[in-house]
Amino acid sequence: MKNWQLTNGYLSDFNDWQPLFAESQALGDAIELTPAHWELITFLRRYFVEFDMAPPMRLLTKAVAMRLGAEKGNSLYLYTLFPDGPAKQAARYAGLPKPTSCI
C-alpha cells in the first residue's frame, strides 16, 4: 500500500491521487465504494480542476443537482453515500483539500 502524504487527514497533493487512495480512505471508514460513490468522487475531481476549490456543502448540492440531476443534488442522497459529511468526506476520498467552510 502506498504511503500518501497527508495534511490534516487530506491528501497534500491533488496530483498524487489514485483510485486506491479513495479505496483506502473508504476502508478506514468502513464504507464499500459503489458506482454512486465513484460518480461523486469523479464529479468532485473534475469540479476541483475547473474551479480550483473543494465545494462546501451548499455549493456541492447545487453543483451536483445542475450536473447530475436533482435526485442526486440533495443532502439526503449525499449523506447516504458519505455519512460523515458529504462535502468533507467525499473531498477527502477525491484527494481534494478540506472545503473551507467545513469544521
Side-chain angles (χ1 to χ4, degrees), residues 14 44-55 96-98 100:
F14 174 83
L44 281 169
R45 290 191 56 78
R46 289 179 180 155
Y47 186 97
F48 185 79
V49 168
E50 186 175 345
F51 298 105
D52 195 31
M53 68 175 284
L96 279 55
K98 185 178 183 181
T100 55

Side-chain angles (χ1 to χ4, degrees), residues 8-102:
N8 297 322
Y10 290 79
L11 193 60
S12 298
D13 185 344
F14 174 83
N15 296 308
D16 287 345
W17 184 87
Q18 301 169 359
L20 184 59
F21 177 78
E23 292 169 5
S24 71
Q25 295 297 297
L27 182 65
D29 292 340
I31 291 176
E32 183 176 339
L33 296 179
T34 66
H37 289 94
W38 284 111
E39 181 179 44
L40 190 60
I41 291 168
T42 300
F43 170 83
L44 281 169
R45 290 191 56 78
R46 289 179 180 155
Y47 186 97
F48 185 79
V49 168
E50 186 175 345
F51 298 105
D52 195 31
M53 68 175 284
M57 187 62 185
R58 178 176 237 144
L59 187 53
L60 175 63
T61 56
K62 287 182 180 184
V64 169
M66 284 180 57
R67 294 196 185 163
L68 302 178
E71 70 282 355
K72 295 178 181 179
N74 68 73
S75 297
L76 292 176
Y77 174 77
L78 296 174
Y79 269 98
T80 63
L81 298 175
F82 298 98
D84 288 342
K88 65 181 182 176
Q89 189 175 28
R92 183 167 49 90
Y93 289 17
L96 279 55
K98 185 178 183 181
T100 55
S101 66
C102 291

